[in-house]
Amino acid sequence: MGTARKEKAEQTQAALKDAARRQFLERGYLNTKITDITAAAGRATGVFYDHFASKEALLQALLADMYEQGDAAIAAHGHGAAGDGDGNGEVEVDGRDHDLTDRAQLRAHLAVGWQTMSANLPVVAALHEEAVAAGPSSGRAWRQLTEGTEAFRDHLAALSARGHGLPGAPELVGAAMGAVLSALAYALLPLPGRPYSDDEVLDTLTDLLLNGIAGPDAG
Amino acid sequence: MGTARKEKAEQTQAALKDAARRQFLERGYLNTKITDITAAAGRATGVFYDHFASKEALLQALLADMYEQGDAAIAAHGHGAAGDGDGNGEVEVDGRDHDLTDRAQLRAHLAVGWQTMSANLPVVAALHEEAVAAGPSSGRAWRQLTEGTEAFRDHLAALSARGHGLPGAPELVGAAMGAVLSALAYALLPLPGRPYSDDEVLDTLTDLLLNGIAGPDAG
DNA sequence: GTCTATACGCGGATAGAC
DNA sequence: GTCTATCCGCGTATAGAC
């Protein structure tokens, strides 16, 4: 049991992180001032800098926390990291692993991404705001899209290698899939009275991405 | 011909708007300071306020310009406004108007949206930044998504009314379609060395949204 | 109509007491 | 370790000369 000083410091740091998450969600990351965080944590302004060098550094710390608990949750299971657009838990249904043309597996993949974002909405949303604030020409939007969808891309590439025709380049299709997922998450999850349930969204996305608007009997 | 004073004022205003568009694209809307705009326009700082009340007001003016030239371009043609996610020109191919299950028509709809965004990237991107800066809980992301995809939603609803099965609620599916379109536009269009051509992106999106990753012979 | 000069407020960041 | 008090830089917005 670490005594007094260190313990209290960790307590304060946790309070700051917690307050930050709340503020990021309510006011938005960009609009949140250092003083908003310290005030919400019930501490004085100056304390912030005893724990974090800047608001960006704090966000990185929150991101690290998210990975840590994400990795812990995955641990013994499948592959992949708990990234933005994907990050998978256990997803094996029948013979072929990670076959995205199998409805159950596709849905499972989407669900993991959705749940990750749902559980870490303040951090995910903050990262999104940060990327947008970097401006269009920074290229961060595209980078974020491609980095967050490695799993999709890999599975699609495998599919393609197996001879399955895709709508386009695996990277591009994967980015498109990640884009819908994260755009809808960012738009819907924070809403007060949610118009669509998680299941409804996931079912819709699964069917749309699997068979398109034409539906299963297109050929 | 308006004499001297008025003419010069319009010239200055145009210079400010033009400089703003350039700056918004390069630095991003949020990062652009009033002084960046006036400097890029080769004018003094103070002039800005003789023409616009604020940066937000300027953006609204740019948006109005966009609509104006958009409406002019459409004019005698089809329906719809030149909004974010859609806004259509002429799209009739065979019997059924606006049948999104027809590949050519779907592609045409997507193309109009893509081209609108391409042609007005600084404004569209700025609006996006503004919406994101409003924070997650503002609900602006969802509003923007639904408002920008009225055309999609209506066409999907019509399809549904005709007895065609959809992946989900027309509003939700339409939002998803608009989301991919604008997310990819925002991510790809500003890139210096574009990895994918317009046609490549449009073909991929068309096939993905029409038949999904399973492809046409799914049944 | 446009310029230069300046005042104002806000938020980030630090110093030093407790 | 945490607090109070304060400084400083930046960007907005205005006032008044030209």
Side-chain angles (χ1 to χ4, degrees):
Chain A
M1 35 224 73
T3 341
R5 304 261 275 249
K6 201 157 195 173
E7 220 168 56
K8 203 157 186 221
E10 283 176 18
Q11 212 173 344
T12 296
Q13 181 161 347
L16 287 173
K17 284 180 177 177
D18 210 56
R21 275 186 280 256
R22 270 180 283 126
Q23 295 292 308
F24 289 173
L25 197 58
E26 286 167 26
R27 309 180 183 236
Y29 170 74
L30 298 173
N31 284 328
T32 300
K33 315 302 168 197
I34 307 276
T35 53
D36 293 330
I37 299 172
T38 52
R43 314 291 159 118
T45 310
V47 218
F48 183 89
Y49 296 97
D50 293 331
H51 295 271
F52 306 102
S54 63
K55 199 170 64 172
E56 296 77 44
L58 165 60
L59 180 56
Q60 290 308 314
L62 293 179
L63 183 63
D65 288 356
M66 171 179 139
Y67 278 134
E68 196 175 353
Q69 78 178 80
D71 288 352
I74 298 178
H77 303 276
H79 62 167
D84 185 349
D86 195 298
N88 316 315
E90 183 71 37
V91 184
E92 276 121 276
V93 178
D94 53 331
R96 205 99 82 178
D97 270 17
H98 309 293
D99 179 356
L100 292 186
T101 62
D102 178 78
R103 192 181 187 283
Q105 293 192 36
L106 174 60
R107 208 199 120 110
H109 274 80
L110 294 174
V112 173
W114 185 263
Q115 280 154 12
T116 300
M117 292 197 250
S118 182
N120 303 284
L121 193 54
V123 181
V124 172
L127 284 171
H128 187 230
E129 289 185 49
E130 198 188 31
V132 166
S137 299
S138 70
R140 281 189 58 170
W142 177 244
R143 202 174 322 137
Q144 192 150 312
L145 219 45
T146 48
E147 284 176 2
T149 54
E150 295 164 9
F152 283 147
R153 190 183 62 235
D154 293 347
H155 297 162
L156 290 168
L159 221 51
S160 178
R162 239 184 271 145
H164 181 90
L166 288 179
E171 183 190 52
L172 190 52
V173 177
M177 293 173 67
V180 234
L181 193 61
S182 58
L184 285 187
Y186 185 84
L188 285 174
L189 287 176
L191 290 186
R194 287 230 247 130
Y196 301 101
S197 70
D198 289 348
D199 278 339
E200 204 170 353
V201 174
L202 282 173
D203 282 332
T204 301
L205 280 186
T206 304
D207 287 333
L208 176 63
L209 292 174
L210 187 65
N211 292 315
I213 55 178
D217 19 286
Chain B
M1 31 220 72
T3 342
R5 303 263 274 250
K6 200 156 193 173
E7 221 168 56
K8 204 159 187 222
E10 283 175 19
Q11 211 172 345
T12 295
Q13 181 160 351
L16 287 174
K17 284 180 177 176
D18 211 56
R21 274 185 282 255
R22 271 180 282 124
Q23 294 291 309
F24 288 172
L25 197 59
E26 286 168 26
R27 310 181 182 235
Y29 171 73
L30 298 172
N31 283 328
T32 299
K33 314 302 167 200
I34 307 276
T35 53
D36 292 330
I37 298 172
T38 52
R43 313 292 158 117
T45 309
V47 219
F48 182 88
Y49 297 95
D50 294 330
H51 295 273
F52 307 101
S54 63
K55 200 171 64 170
E56 295 77 45
L58 165 59
L59 180 54
Q60 290 308 314
L62 292 179
L63 183 63
D65 288 357
M66 172 178 138
Y67 277 134
E68 197 175 354
Q69 77 179 81
D71 289 351
I74 298 177
H77 303 278
H79 63 164
D84 186 350
D86 195 298
N88 317 313
E90 183 72 35
V91 184
E92 275 120 279
V93 179
D94 53 334
R96 207 99 81 176
D97 270 18
H98 309 294
D99 179 356
L100 292 186
T101 62
D102 178 78
R103 190 180 189 284
Q105 293 191 36
L106 174 60
R107 207 199 121 109
H109 274 80
L110 295 173
V112 173
W114 185 263
Q115 280 154 10
T116 301
M117 292 196 251
S118 181
N120 302 284
L121 192 55
V123 181
V124 173
L127 285 170
H128 187 231
E129 289 185 48
E130 198 189 32
V132 167
S137 299
S138 70
R140 283 189 58 170
W142 177 244
R143 201 174 321 137
Q144 193 150 311
L145 218 45
T146 49
E147 284 176 1
T149 53
E150 295 163 10
F152 284 148
R153 190 184 59 235
D154 293 347
H155 296 161
L156 289 168
L159 221 51
S160 177
R162 239 184 270 143
H164 182 90
L166 288 179
E171 184 190 51
L172 190 52
V173 178
M177 293 173 68
V180 233
L181 193 61
S182 58
L184 284 187
Y186 185 83
L188 285 174
L189 286 175
L191 291 184
R194 286 230 247 129
Y196 301 101
S197 71
D198 290 349
D199 278 339
E200 204 170 354
V201 174
L202 282 173
D203 282 332
T204 300
L205 280 186
T206 303
D207 287 333
L208 176 63
L209 293 174
L210 187 65
N211 291 315
I213 55 178
D217 21 284

XYZ file of all heavy atoms in Angstrom, chain B residues 7-89:
612
model
N -17.705 49.333 -56.322
C -16.989 48.325 -57.087
C -15.766 47.820 -56.326
O -15.496 46.627 -56.269
C -16.536 48.930 -58.420
C -16.702 47.985 -59.587
C -16.526 48.701 -60.912
O -15.461 49.323 -61.085
O -17.449 48.656 -61.751
N -15.053 48.740 -55.750
C -13.859 48.349 -55.020
C -14.208 47.518 -53.793
O -13.479 46.605 -53.402
C -13.060 49.598 -54.608
C -11.590 49.299 -54.391
C -10.708 50.533 -54.476
C -9.237 50.161 -54.426
N -8.470 51.088 -53.552
N -15.316 47.873 -53.193
C -15.751 47.118 -52.020
C -16.039 45.672 -52.389
O -15.619 44.735 -51.700
C -16.984 47.768 -51.419
N -16.728 45.495 -53.496
C -17.040 44.131 -53.931
C -15.780 43.371 -54.276
O -15.674 42.172 -54.019
C -17.980 44.171 -55.140
C -19.424 44.486 -54.766
C -20.301 44.628 -55.995
O -19.895 44.143 -57.070
O -21.389 45.226 -55.878
N -14.854 44.090 -54.856
C -13.579 43.484 -55.203
C -12.869 42.993 -53.945
O -12.373 41.864 -53.893
C -12.723 44.548 -55.887
C -11.765 43.991 -56.910
C -11.094 45.120 -57.685
O -11.546 46.284 -57.641
N -10.017 44.819 -58.375
N -12.866 43.826 -52.945
C -12.241 43.446 -51.678
C -12.951 42.272 -51.040
O -12.323 41.319 -50.564
C -12.250 44.638 -50.706
O -11.436 45.672 -51.238
C -11.697 44.221 -49.358
N -14.264 42.334 -51.061
C -15.040 41.251 -50.470
C -14.751 39.935 -51.180
O -14.575 38.894 -50.539
C -16.533 41.574 -50.566
C -17.400 40.498 -49.949
C -18.787 41.006 -49.608
O -19.047 42.187 -49.676
N -19.675 40.113 -49.221
N -14.682 39.993 -52.490
C -14.377 38.789 -53.263
C -12.989 38.272 -52.915
O -12.772 37.066 -52.787
C -14.480 39.085 -54.751
N -12.055 39.201 -52.754
C -10.689 38.814 -52.400
C -10.663 38.130 -51.041
O -9.954 37.133 -50.836
C -9.786 40.035 -52.401
N -11.440 38.648 -50.123
C -11.505 38.053 -48.791
C -12.085 36.642 -48.860
O -11.556 35.707 -48.256
C -12.355 38.925 -47.861
C -11.713 40.233 -47.398
C -12.714 41.082 -46.610
C -10.474 39.974 -46.554
N -13.175 36.512 -49.609
C -13.795 35.187 -49.743
C -12.830 34.195 -50.374
O -12.702 33.055 -49.927
C -15.055 35.289 -50.611
C -16.259 35.900 -49.916
C -17.437 35.935 -50.894
C -18.704 36.466 -50.237
N -19.801 36.592 -51.224
N -12.171 34.662 -51.390
C -11.250 33.779 -52.093
C -10.095 33.359 -51.194
O -9.735 32.174 -51.127
C -10.714 34.506 -53.332
C -10.405 33.548 -54.450
O -11.317 32.800 -54.853
O -9.241 33.526 -54.898
N -9.555 34.327 -50.495
C -8.465 34.028 -49.567
C -8.939 33.063 -48.484
O -8.229 32.131 -48.102
C -7.947 35.317 -48.943
N -10.153 33.284 -48.016
C -10.710 32.419 -46.972
C -10.789 30.984 -47.461
O -10.392 30.049 -46.763
C -12.089 32.920 -46.563
N -11.299 30.808 -48.669
C -11.400 29.451 -49.215
C -10.035 28.781 -49.260
O -9.879 27.616 -48.889
C -12.041 29.490 -50.604
C -13.564 29.476 -50.580
C -14.157 29.399 -51.971
N -14.119 30.687 -52.647
C -15.186 31.477 -52.823
N -16.360 31.112 -52.371
N -15.071 32.643 -53.435
N -9.043 29.517 -49.712
C -7.700 28.937 -49.779
C -7.175 28.580 -48.397
O -6.630 27.505 -48.168
C -6.750 29.925 -50.461
C -6.692 29.762 -51.981
C -5.742 30.757 -52.618
N -6.305 32.099 -52.732
C -5.749 33.205 -52.234
N -4.604 33.139 -51.593
N -6.335 34.384 -52.391
N -7.355 29.509 -47.468
C -6.860 29.274 -46.115
C -7.590 28.126 -45.431
O -6.979 27.324 -44.740
C -7.012 30.556 -45.277
C -6.137 31.690 -45.770
C -4.670 31.411 -45.534
O -4.258 31.078 -44.446
N -3.865 31.528 -46.591
N -8.900 28.060 -45.622
C -9.682 26.990 -45.005
C -9.177 25.628 -45.447
O -9.125 24.686 -44.661
C -11.162 27.132 -45.357
C -11.837 28.275 -44.671
C -13.143 28.641 -45.001
C -11.172 29.013 -43.688
C -13.767 29.703 -44.355
C -11.795 30.081 -43.049
C -13.099 30.419 -43.392
N -8.821 25.549 -46.696
C -8.353 24.276 -47.225
C -6.955 23.941 -46.719
O -6.665 22.799 -46.362
C -8.372 24.320 -48.754
C -8.300 22.974 -49.457
C -9.465 22.099 -49.033
C -8.305 23.161 -50.962
N -6.097 24.948 -46.692
C -4.707 24.714 -46.293
C -4.552 24.512 -44.791
O -3.966 23.537 -44.337
C -3.832 25.886 -46.732
C -3.566 25.908 -48.240
C -2.952 27.232 -48.687
O -2.297 27.892 -47.851
O -3.142 27.619 -49.866
N -5.067 25.462 -44.041
C -4.873 25.400 -42.586
C -6.019 24.735 -41.863
O -5.889 24.395 -40.687
C -4.739 26.815 -42.015
C -3.739 27.681 -42.725
C -3.665 29.053 -42.050
N -2.735 29.913 -42.757
C -1.705 30.531 -42.172
N -1.507 30.389 -40.888
N -0.895 31.297 -42.875
N -7.136 24.624 -42.524
C -8.334 24.160 -41.838
C -9.117 25.357 -41.325
O -8.535 26.368 -40.921
N -10.398 25.230 -41.323
C -11.283 26.329 -40.904
C -11.011 26.764 -39.471
O -10.871 27.958 -39.186
C -12.739 25.868 -41.039
C -13.759 26.799 -40.454
C -14.072 28.003 -41.079
C -14.426 26.479 -39.278
C -15.032 28.861 -40.545
C -15.382 27.322 -38.736
C -15.678 28.501 -39.368
O -16.621 29.333 -38.833
N -10.909 25.814 -38.584
C -10.741 26.145 -37.166
C -9.409 26.846 -36.892
O -9.336 27.729 -36.046
C -10.847 24.870 -36.313
C -12.194 24.149 -36.371
C -12.121 22.816 -35.644
C -13.281 25.031 -35.767
N -8.401 26.440 -37.595
C -7.076 27.012 -37.370
C -6.883 28.361 -38.055
O -5.914 29.053 -37.773
C -5.991 26.048 -37.863
C -5.764 24.910 -36.897
O -5.916 25.071 -35.685
N -5.419 23.751 -37.423
N -7.732 28.662 -38.985
C -7.575 29.914 -39.721
C -8.002 31.107 -38.878
O -9.121 31.156 -38.375
C -8.401 29.883 -41.016
O -7.946 28.812 -41.843
C -8.242 31.192 -41.774
N -7.091 32.082 -38.720
C -7.395 33.295 -37.970
C -7.849 34.366 -38.945
O -7.478 34.332 -40.127
C -6.151 33.787 -37.217
C -5.404 32.700 -36.476
C -6.285 32.011 -35.468
C -5.658 30.735 -34.952
N -6.662 29.827 -34.343
N -8.593 35.311 -38.421
C -9.040 36.431 -39.244
C -7.844 37.068 -39.952
O -7.897 37.393 -41.135
C -9.729 37.500 -38.373
C -10.837 36.869 -37.536
C -10.248 38.628 -39.227
C -12.132 36.714 -38.202
N -6.759 37.199 -39.221
C -5.572 37.842 -39.783
C -4.959 37.007 -40.912
O -4.343 37.559 -41.823
C -4.510 38.061 -38.697
O -4.255 36.824 -38.031
C -5.002 39.075 -37.678
N -5.123 35.696 -40.848
C -4.632 34.852 -41.947
C -5.377 35.181 -43.232
O -4.784 35.243 -44.317
C -4.855 33.369 -41.619
C -3.989 32.896 -40.465
O -2.893 33.452 -40.296
O -4.412 31.985 -39.740
N -6.662 35.393 -43.087
C -7.491 35.674 -44.258
C -7.137 37.031 -44.866
O -6.887 37.154 -46.062
C -8.990 35.644 -43.883
C -9.370 34.246 -43.380
C -9.852 36.032 -45.077
C -10.762 34.160 -42.808
N -7.105 38.039 -44.008
C -6.799 39.378 -44.521
C -5.390 39.438 -45.104
O -5.176 40.057 -46.143
C -6.948 40.428 -43.412
O -6.185 40.024 -42.271
C -8.407 40.579 -43.009
N -4.469 38.770 -44.438
C -3.096 38.760 -44.945
C -3.033 38.095 -46.313
O -2.404 38.614 -47.238
C -2.179 38.038 -43.960
N -3.706 36.930 -46.432
C -3.692 36.208 -47.702
C -4.383 37.009 -48.799
O -4.098 36.844 -49.982
C -4.372 34.848 -47.537
N -5.304 37.865 -48.383
C -6.009 38.700 -49.360
C -5.232 39.988 -49.644
O -5.647 40.791 -50.478
C -7.414 39.038 -48.852
N -4.138 40.173 -48.939
C -3.342 41.371 -49.133
C -4.014 42.624 -48.609
O -3.809 43.726 -49.137
N -4.824 42.490 -47.569
C -5.515 43.644 -46.997
C -5.168 43.801 -45.517
O -4.547 42.922 -44.921
C -7.039 43.502 -47.134
C -7.504 43.073 -48.499
C -7.256 44.148 -49.539
N -7.223 43.568 -50.889
C -8.089 43.884 -51.839
N -9.016 44.783 -51.616
N -7.990 43.325 -53.032
N -5.616 44.880 -44.951
C -5.385 45.126 -43.530
C -6.398 44.365 -42.690
O -7.484 44.020 -43.165
C -5.479 46.610 -43.234
N -6.031 44.143 -41.456
C -6.869 43.340 -40.564
C -8.277 43.908 -40.414
O -9.273 43.188 -40.492
C -6.231 43.271 -39.165
O -4.865 42.871 -39.305
C -6.969 42.279 -38.288
N -8.329 45.202 -40.206
C -9.602 45.839 -39.902
C -10.680 45.696 -40.960
O -11.869 45.638 -40.650
N -10.251 45.631 -42.208
C -11.212 45.568 -43.314
C -12.198 44.423 -43.169
O -13.331 44.524 -43.619
C -10.512 45.344 -44.673
C -11.175 46.165 -45.738
C -9.045 45.622 -44.571
N -11.731 43.359 -42.584
C -12.580 42.180 -42.478
C -13.948 42.531 -41.918
O -14.976 42.153 -42.463
C -11.915 41.120 -41.593
C -12.706 39.842 -41.476
C -12.533 38.817 -42.393
C -13.633 39.670 -40.454
C -13.263 37.637 -42.296
C -14.365 38.491 -40.346
C -14.187 37.478 -41.269
N -13.931 43.299 -40.848
C -15.181 43.590 -40.130
C -16.061 44.596 -40.864
O -17.193 44.833 -40.473
C -14.864 44.074 -38.715
C -14.173 43.008 -37.913
C -12.783 42.971 -37.822
C -14.902 42.008 -37.299
C -12.151 41.977 -37.099
C -14.277 41.007 -36.576
C -12.896 41.005 -36.481
O -12.274 40.006 -35.781
N -15.536 45.200 -41.905
C -16.374 46.061 -42.743
C -17.219 45.213 -43.690
O -18.161 45.700 -44.306
C -15.506 47.024 -43.557
C -14.785 48.014 -42.664
O -15.337 48.334 -41.591
O -13.677 48.444 -43.019
N -16.892 43.922 -43.776
C -17.602 43.057 -44.725
C -18.320 41.893 -44.055
O -19.349 41.438 -44.538
C -16.616 42.514 -45.760
C -16.035 43.578 -46.638
N -16.638 43.996 -47.791
C -14.922 44.342 -46.500
C -15.898 44.951 -48.349
N -14.854 45.177 -47.592
N -17.750 41.413 -42.952
C -18.349 40.269 -42.262
C -18.284 40.483 -40.755
O -17.327 41.056 -40.248
C -17.611 38.978 -42.621
C -17.504 38.742 -44.108
C -16.326 39.024 -44.781
C -18.594 38.259 -44.829
C -16.218 38.809 -46.152
C -18.500 38.052 -46.203
C -17.311 38.326 -46.864
N -19.312 40.012 -40.092
C -19.375 40.200 -38.642
C -18.435 39.260 -37.913
O -17.949 39.562 -36.819
C -20.802 40.004 -38.149
N -18.181 38.119 -38.520
C -17.342 37.123 -37.869
C -16.924 36.063 -38.880
O -17.371 36.073 -40.032
C -18.120 36.459 -36.733
O -19.238 35.779 -37.267
N -16.109 35.146 -38.435
C -15.678 34.060 -39.313
C -16.861 33.174 -39.666
O -16.977 32.697 -40.796
C -14.581 33.247 -38.608
C -13.733 32.416 -39.557
C -12.524 31.803 -38.852
C -12.904 30.815 -37.787
N -11.720 30.035 -37.268
N -17.748 32.956 -38.705
C -18.939 32.132 -38.962
C -19.814 32.788 -40.038
O -20.334 32.108 -40.915
C -19.759 31.945 -37.676
C -19.043 31.167 -36.585
C -18.016 32.025 -35.860
O -18.339 33.172 -35.517
O -16.870 31.563 -35.676
N -19.966 34.096 -39.930
C -20.786 34.812 -40.910
C -20.179 34.677 -42.305
O -20.897 34.499 -43.296
C -20.905 36.285 -40.515
N -18.863 34.770 -42.360
C -18.186 34.587 -43.641
C -18.479 33.210 -44.216
O -18.786 33.063 -45.404
C -16.674 34.767 -43.449
C -15.764 34.281 -44.580
C -16.071 34.987 -45.887
C -14.301 34.499 -44.214
N -18.416 32.204 -43.368
C -18.688 30.839 -43.833
C -20.116 30.726 -44.374
O -20.350 30.085 -45.406
C -18.480 29.844 -42.686
C -18.729 28.376 -43.032
C -17.913 27.934 -44.228
C -18.441 27.487 -41.826
N -21.048 31.351 -43.711
C -22.425 31.333 -44.188
C -22.536 31.999 -45.555
O -23.278 31.546 -46.427
C -23.354 32.044 -43.188
C -23.557 31.273 -41.891
C -23.998 29.835 -42.113
O -24.893 29.564 -42.905
N -23.340 28.893 -41.427
N -21.779 33.068 -45.737
C -21.779 33.756 -47.032
C -21.222 32.838 -48.118
O -21.763 32.765 -49.228
C -20.960 35.036 -46.944
N -20.157 32.138 -47.779
C -19.569 31.203 -48.744
C -20.560 30.091 -49.070
O -20.675 29.645 -50.218
C -18.286 30.588 -48.169
C -17.101 31.534 -47.976
C -15.919 30.791 -47.393
C -16.712 32.200 -49.284
N -21.291 29.666 -48.057
C -22.292 28.621 -48.254
C -23.395 29.115 -49.188
O -23.840 28.390 -50.085
C -22.884 28.216 -46.900
C -23.888 27.075 -46.921
C -23.238 25.797 -47.413
C -24.497 26.866 -45.540
N -23.809 30.352 -48.979
C -24.838 30.942 -49.838
C -24.361 30.999 -51.280
O -25.103 30.671 -52.207
C -25.190 32.344 -49.336
N -23.113 31.398 -51.460
C -22.535 31.418 -52.809
C -22.585 30.045 -53.453
O -22.924 29.902 -54.629
C -21.071 31.886 -52.751
C -20.954 33.370 -52.458
O -22.010 34.026 -52.359
O -19.823 33.860 -52.322
N -22.258 29.059 -52.645
C -22.247 27.688 -53.149
C -23.638 27.269 -53.610
O -23.800 26.710 -54.693
C -21.735 26.760 -52.052
C -21.858 25.282 -52.380
S -21.176 24.247 -51.062
C -22.394 22.955 -50.972
N -24.632 27.533 -52.797
C -26.004 27.197 -53.160
C -26.405 27.926 -54.436
O -27.007 27.351 -55.329
C -26.960 27.581 -52.039
C -27.043 26.559 -50.945
C -26.994 26.925 -49.606
C -27.161 25.203 -51.261
C -27.067 25.981 -48.597
C -27.233 24.255 -50.264
C -27.187 24.643 -48.930
O -27.257 23.700 -47.946
N -26.052 29.212 -54.472
C -26.421 30.046 -55.614
C -25.923 29.432 -56.920
O -26.684 29.217 -57.851
C -25.825 31.445 -55.422
C -26.447 32.495 -56.311
C -25.898 33.874 -55.975
O -25.130 33.987 -54.979
O -26.196 34.825 -56.692
N -24.628 29.116 -56.947
C -24.107 28.568 -58.192
C -24.562 27.134 -58.416
O -24.677 26.685 -59.550
C -22.585 28.673 -58.234
C -21.868 27.632 -57.401
C -20.353 27.797 -57.522
O -19.749 28.647 -56.865
N -19.737 26.992 -58.365
N -24.863 26.460 -57.310
C -25.399 25.111 -57.436
C -26.785 25.124 -58.037
O -27.078 24.375 -58.978
N -27.634 25.992 -57.510
C -28.989 26.104 -58.031
C -28.971 26.521 -59.493
O -29.754 26.021 -60.311
C -29.777 27.133 -57.214
C -30.102 26.603 -55.824
O -29.863 25.409 -55.595
O -30.592 27.379 -54.988
N -28.078 27.428 -59.807
C -27.966 27.879 -61.190
C -27.627 26.714 -62.106
O -28.179 26.569 -63.199
C -26.906 28.967 -61.297
N -26.716 25.857 -61.628
C -26.278 24.726 -62.438
C -27.403 23.708 -62.644
O -27.545 23.132 -63.718
C -25.070 24.048 -61.786
N -28.186 23.543 -61.591
C -29.279 22.582 -61.693
C -30.446 23.162 -62.488
O -30.871 22.623 -63.499
C -29.768 22.166 -60.291
C -28.637 21.477 -59.541
C -30.961 21.238 -60.405
C -29.016 21.098 -58.137
N -30.958 24.267 -61.948
C -31.986 25.051 -62.638
C -33.084 24.222 -63.273
O -33.971 23.712 -62.593
C -31.331 25.947 -63.675
N -33.009 24.067 -64.566
C -34.083 23.433 -65.316
C -34.181 21.924 -65.101
O -35.145 21.306 -65.530
C -33.909 23.718 -66.801
N -33.190 21.354 -64.433
C -33.137 19.900 -64.297
C -34.022 19.356 -63.195
O -35.046 19.923 -62.865
C -31.685 19.461 -64.048
C -30.766 19.904 -65.119
N -30.616 19.236 -66.297
C -29.971 20.987 -65.195
C -29.745 19.883 -67.044
N -29.342 20.945 -66.394
N -33.537 18.253 -62.617
C -34.298 17.478 -61.652
C -34.684 18.227 -60.401
O -34.926 19.427 -60.427
N -34.737 17.486 -59.305
C -35.200 18.005 -58.022
C -34.003 18.248 -57.123
O -32.901 18.437 -57.572
C -36.118 16.964 -57.393
C -35.390 15.692 -57.113
N -35.870 14.739 -56.293
C -34.177 15.263 -57.549
C -34.990 13.745 -56.236
N -33.976 14.047 -56.986
N -34.274 18.279 -55.803
C -33.206 18.256 -54.814
C -32.374 19.524 -54.760
O -32.272 20.267 -55.734
N -31.784 19.748 -53.582
C -30.914 20.898 -53.412
C -29.469 20.447 -53.450
O -29.172 19.270 -53.295
C -31.206 21.581 -52.078
N -28.573 21.372 -53.614
C -27.154 21.042 -53.733
C -26.517 20.861 -52.353
O -25.503 21.460 -52.049
C -26.417 22.119 -54.522
N -27.131 20.020 -51.551
C -26.673 19.859 -50.178
C -25.385 19.080 -50.060
O -24.756 18.740 -51.061
N -25.039 18.753 -48.837
C -23.786 18.092 -48.523
C -23.677 16.712 -49.166
O -22.826 16.457 -49.997
C -23.705 17.954 -47.010
C -22.366 17.396 -46.567
O -21.604 16.947 -47.440
O -22.106 17.399 -45.395
N -24.600 15.840 -48.804
C -24.442 14.457 -49.216
C -24.996 14.154 -50.581
O -24.670 13.142 -51.178
N -25.851 15.012 -51.065
C -26.453 14.714 -52.348
C -26.772 16.001 -53.106
O -26.017 16.941 -53.104
C -27.740 13.903 -52.130
C -28.213 13.257 -53.412
O -28.524 13.981 -54.358
O -28.266 12.019 -53.461
N -27.923 16.052 -53.705
C -28.246 17.203 -54.546
C -27.993 16.748 -55.953
O -26.868 16.557 -56.369
N -29.047 16.579 -56.691
C -28.902 15.870 -57.950
C -29.091 16.758 -59.167
O -29.838 17.712 -59.156
C -29.951 14.770 -58.035
C -30.042 14.056 -56.723
O -29.023 13.703 -56.153
N -31.248 13.908 -56.230
N -28.436 16.385 -60.176
C -28.676 16.993 -61.471
C -29.674 16.114 -62.182
O -30.624 15.628 -61.591
